[in-house]
Amino acid sequence: MISRRSFLASAAAASAAMPLPAFAATQTSTKLPKKFRPQVVKVSKEYPAGEIHVLTDDHFLFWTLGDGKAMRYGIAVGAPGRNFKGVAEIRRKAEWPSWTPTASMIAAEPQVYAKWRNGLPGGHEKNPLGARALYLYQGNRDTLYRIHGTPQPWTIGRSFSSGCIRLQNAHVEELYEHVPLGTRVVVY
């Protein structure tokens, strides 16, 4: 069983970035601190290629490349107590997805979410899903958590949302192209 601690230990060399392979690592969005910019980092060779590992406390998402390497992205996550933790699978992907707040989001913060109860179309400037969304499932059950873009790129490195994992739009577009349906996602 992979733990957050073992993943952190294997990614300890993450600050020693390596040259990028076939990733564009676009930097055209809001300027991020260097540590949150996409970069290839070393991880333990025990992590197979093609998995996503999310360290919510550290605000990083890792797409494992195999051979002890991973692409690391800076992320924004949910406010304390609002994050998904566990193992899931990507069962759906969408470009410019529409968005509707959940009933629990509306109940918890009606002043923020009630006005959007009928949803927002993809591409709307207020749609929090941004350019792409990867939908997390456990079995046949939609967890209602997503890995997605954000129209608020300055939030990368922060914990404030309703719980989804957010990347800059350019970065989620890049990740979206590499991640197939059925990808295993581990959120620590």
Side-chain angles (χ1 to χ4, degrees):
M1 180 78 169
I2 297 172
S3 68
R4 178 182 184 276
R5 179 170 293 183
S6 69
F7 194 86
L8 273 172
S10 73
S15 61
M18 297 175 285
L20 295 174
F23 288 87
T26 53
Q27 300 298 320
T28 58
S29 300
T30 298
K31 186 74 170 169
L32 291 174
K34 187 174 182 177
K35 73 178 188 173
F36 292 123
R37 295 179 198 159
Q39 53 192 288
V40 175
V41 297
K42 293 179 183 179
V43 294
S44 172
K45 290 186 178 193
E46 76 179 271
Y47 298 102
E51 292 185 341
I52 292 175
H53 293 264
V54 179
L55 303 180
T56 56
D57 291 346
D58 300 317
H59 301 98
F60 290 121
L61 178 149
F62 296 82
W63 166 245
T64 58
L65 305 172
D67 196 29
K69 297 175 188 162
M71 188 70 179
R72 185 182 77 186
Y73 296 92
I75 58 171
V77 297
R82 291 184 168 187
N83 293 302
F84 170 82
K85 302 275 189 193
V87 179
E89 177 182 329
I90 294 173
R91 298 276 305 276
R92 179 176 171 229
K93 295 170 55 171
E95 295 183 15
W96 296 106
S98 61
W99 171 79
T100 303
T102 64
S104 63
M105 290 168 71
I106 294 169
E109 295 180 272
Q111 71 284 5
V112 175
Y113 297 111
K115 61 187 166 195
W116 311 119
R117 77 174 66 252
N118 294 321
L120 290 171
H124 188 284
E125 66 180 17
K126 299 287 186 183
N127 181 331
L129 297 185
R132 304 288 183 273
L134 305 168
Y135 295 73
L136 303 181
Y137 282 73
Q138 290 183 314
N140 290 324
R141 186 181 66 82
D142 183 351
T143 66
L144 303 179
Y145 287 93
R146 319 283 184 241
I147 296 170
H148 62 80
T150 180
Q152 301 169 320
W154 59 89
T155 63
I156 302 302
R158 296 179 53 202
S159 303
F160 82 101
S161 73
S162 292
C164 288
I165 300 156
R166 299 171 169 213
L167 291 85
Q168 283 195 352
N169 278 327
H171 303 160
V172 78
E173 287 173 13
E174 178 179 282
L175 183 65
Y176 182 95
E177 293 303 317
H178 293 283
V179 175
L181 293 176
T183 294
R184 182 173 186 254
V185 178
V186 183
V187 183
Y188 304 94

